[in-house]
Amino acid sequence: MTLTCVGLGPGGSDDLTLRARAALDASEVIVGYTTYIDLIRDAYSHKELVATGMRGEVERCRMALERAAAGQQVAVVCSGDPGVYGMAGPLLELAPEYPQVEVKVVAGVTAANGGAAVLGAPLMHDWCSISLSDLMTPWETIERRLAAAAEADFCIVLYNPSSRGRSDYLARACDVLLATRDAATVCGYVRNIGRAGEEFRLLSLGELRNAQVDMLTCVYVGNSQTRVIDGRMVTPRGYQWKAQ
């Protein structure tokens, strides 16, 4: 039996790729974090929807694998892309315990790409993503990655920039970046990417340090060449220079 790990895109059923929609249509059971199940609840109310809360990722994946091993066609849904801070990893780590189950991964639109489209074209050159959540990664490691990305002049997408328990993490991250980046560096953020209430803002790195954001926000830090063009955040790739 097949278990499919499906990327919903940041906006849920409105952002589904054709392959993702086909996988959900073919499933009997759809399993996911409560917020992500809610994104598709209306479109797939005729399916068995199994929602679990935050921090139950391993148990959720094991339950889905057990359902698939019992003969059901199961889909596990993730916001964005399942291989970017999603459930593809833990599912594949657990899969050897269920040799009768074939795990397939269906790509989705990452929040980084979805938010970039809202802002303009901030990721046209080399970039990296860094999560500011220290639930899985020690903060010291996060700081080293931030410092290295800043020194290498990467455009940077920050996931999980703030929460109730770590409201100062974005400011701390900005302090690391400001050690080597100009305070005037063009930045932006997008909240509720692809969902109701979507909003964005362009600002400098210096201003970003004091911005109020939450877990539903992706933050974009430009490189030394990033600029604002007609109200859009753009990182030049260099095509025009090469043509000269």
Side-chain angles (χ1 to χ4, degrees), residues 18-143:
L18 294 177
R19 287 186 63 204
R21 191 175 299 279
L24 294 182
D25 289 345
S27 67
E28 300 172 79
V29 182
I30 302 176
V31 179
Y33 172 49
T34 304
T35 299
Y36 306 151
I37 290 293
D38 287 343
L39 289 174
I40 60 167
R41 189 176 297 279
D42 290 343
Y44 289 95
S45 59
H46 57 293
K47 304 282 187 179
E48 181 183 356
L49 303 176
V50 181
T52 62
M54 181 72 77
R55 302 190 184 183
E57 292 84 2
V58 173
E59 293 78 8
R60 185 187 312 141
C61 290
R62 189 175 295 281
M63 175 181 61
L65 286 161
E66 289 174 352
R67 289 286 199 105
Q72 291 184 297
Q73 197 74 21
V74 180
V76 173
V77 293
C78 312
S79 177
D81 182 275
V84 181
Y85 307 120
M87 290 295 99
L91 276 171
L92 291 171
E93 290 179 70
L94 292 170
E97 300 178 29
Y98 303 85
Q100 68 273 51
V101 178
E102 179 187 8
V103 177
K104 294 183 177 180
V105 179
V106 176
V109 178
T110 68
N113 293 138
V118 174
L119 292 175
L123 306 181
M124 281 292 294
H125 218 310
D126 298 334
W127 64 278
C128 66
S129 64
I130 300 175
S131 170
L132 297 190
S133 172
D134 60 356
L135 292 176
M136 306 291 181
T137 306
W139 180 253
E140 293 76 14
T141 300
I142 295 171
E143 283 191 330

